[in-house]
Amino acid sequence: MEQENEPNRTDVLKPNYESKLGTLEHWNDAYKQEIEQFKNNDNELGDIWFGKELQKKLVNYIIKNFPDKNTKIFDVGFGNGVFLYKLAKQDYVNLYGIDYSPDSVQLAKMIIESKQKKHEKEYKINLYCEDINSTNKIINETFDVIHDKGSFDAYLMNKSNTLENYHRYIKSYSKNGTTLIITSCNNTREELRKKFPPEKGFKYIDEIKNKTFVFGGQEGQQQATQIYQITL
């Protein structure tokens, strides 16, 4: 069965703290395990980062706001590829994604190939291995929608990475007016707004409400999902 990974907002340290989650070795090891699990049981799709409920909200947001099935969508850090697969099931045909773990790419391709055989349907999903820090783009495209669910958090858990490099990477695959949908558990909505300000080319336009928790008498969201329009 699909596993859900929903970090508790109260257990997360301040953004940019050093963690094994910011290392390629950690993710390679994690996806190697998920590959073996999937080989033994093709219903074991691995972690659904932040859970199925949020994934469904994100897919529905895209369906509602980008009904054209030719919309070009780019997933940054696709993991097991299930988010792109869910969009492909809704007949989106211009789907691309990158992950810097080659084992992630292998797992996602295995899952998608399995789904194609089961459903006797071809899903047009393009998966690539690429590091956010790379200055040589593998994909010679710009996109209508860029999606990131948790990869931004993991990226900044490695202190050798920078917010400026992340901005540069996102803009390299953007055109004027591209929509960025980003989910973070390491940042509140206010902290995200500071990291993606209009003066850097990120115009806040919307947010998706997530699960809430109460801590110290204050209510907050376990994750913050915000939508920005990119200006170049």
Side-chain angles (χ1 to χ4, degrees), residues 75-119:
D75 194 13
V76 178
F78 55 74
N80 59 11
V82 171
F83 176 74
L84 290 171
Y85 161 66
K86 294 293 185 181
L87 290 171
K89 281 185 67 178
Q90 297 296 324
D91 299 323
Y92 286 90
V93 295
N94 278 318
L95 301 173
Y96 294 75
I98 64 97
D99 201 291
Y100 78 153
S101 168
D103 297 292
S104 162
V105 178
Q106 181 182 347
L107 173 65
K109 287 183 175 179
M110 289 170 62
I111 290 172
I112 291 165
E113 287 172 4
S114 174
K115 295 296 185 182
Q116 289 182 149
K117 288 179 182 178
K118 283 184 178 181
H119 301 152

Side-chain angles (χ1 to χ4, degrees), residues 147-171:
H147 169 262
D148 180 328
K149 180 159 58 70
S151 297
F152 174 68
D153 288 343
Y155 178 76
L156 288 185
M157 287 179 194
N158 184 328
K159 288 186 178 179
S160 65
N161 296 330
T162 67
L163 180 61
E164 290 73 20
N165 270 351
Y166 184 87
H167 285 174
R168 174 198 57 76
Y169 184 80
I170 294 298
K171 288 181 177 180

Side-chain angles (χ1 to χ4, degrees), residues 187-193 207 209 221 224 226 228:
N187 297 271
T188 64
R189 58 166 67 94
E190 292 80 12
E191 289 167 337
L192 273 181
R193 295 279 288 274
E207 74 173 343
K209 298 290 186 181
Q221 296 186 77
Q226 296 196 336
Y228 297 87

Side-chain angles (χ1 to χ4, degrees), residues 63-224:
I63 292 170
K64 178 181 178 181
N65 292 278
F66 302 92
D68 184 350
K69 303 303 181 179
N70 288 306
T71 299
K72 294 170 68 176
I73 301 171
F74 182 48
D75 194 13
V76 178
F78 55 74
N80 59 11
V82 171
F83 176 74
L84 290 171
Y85 161 66
K86 294 293 185 181
L87 290 171
K89 281 185 67 178
Q90 297 296 324
D91 299 323
Y92 286 90
V93 295
N94 278 318
L95 301 173
Y96 294 75
I98 64 97
D99 201 291
Y100 78 153
S101 168
D103 297 292
S104 162
V105 178
Q106 181 182 347
L107 173 65
K109 287 183 175 179
M110 289 170 62
I111 290 172
I112 291 165
E113 287 172 4
S114 174
K115 295 296 185 182
Q116 289 182 149
K117 288 179 182 178
K118 283 184 178 181
H119 301 152
E120 296 183 344
K121 182 178 179 179
E122 180 182 1
Y123 298 116
K124 297 180 179 179
I125 303 173
N126 306 281
L127 304 176
Y128 301 90
C129 188
E130 181 170 275
D131 192 325
I132 288 173
N133 288 326
S134 173
T135 56
N136 296 317
K137 291 170 54 177
I138 292 177
I139 309 169
N140 188 27
E141 300 280 354
T142 57
F143 294 90
D144 302 304
V145 177
I146 297 177
H147 169 262
D148 180 328
K149 180 159 58 70
S151 297
F152 174 68
D153 288 343
Y155 178 76
L156 288 185
M157 287 179 194
N158 184 328
K159 288 186 178 179
S160 65
N161 296 330
T162 67
L163 180 61
E164 290 73 20
N165 270 351
Y166 184 87
H167 285 174
R168 174 198 57 76
Y169 184 80
I170 294 298
K171 288 181 177 180
S172 74
Y173 282 112
S174 300
K175 56 189 176 182
N176 199 44
T178 290
T179 296
L180 171 64
I181 304 172
I182 186 166
T183 299
S184 171
C185 71
N186 277 7
N187 297 271
T188 64
R189 58 166 67 94
E190 292 80 12
E191 289 167 337
L192 273 181
R193 295 279 288 274
K194 289 179 181 178
K195 286 183 168 66
F196 294 89
E199 58 268 23
K200 296 292 185 180
F202 299 94
K203 178 184 177 183
Y204 170 81
I205 57 174
D206 202 357
E207 74 173 343
I208 294 174
K209 298 290 186 181
N210 295 319
K211 287 183 179 180
T212 60
F213 69 94
V214 177
F215 182 73
Q218 299 294 317
E219 185 177 67
Q221 296 186 77
Q222 289 182 323
Q223 303 96 32

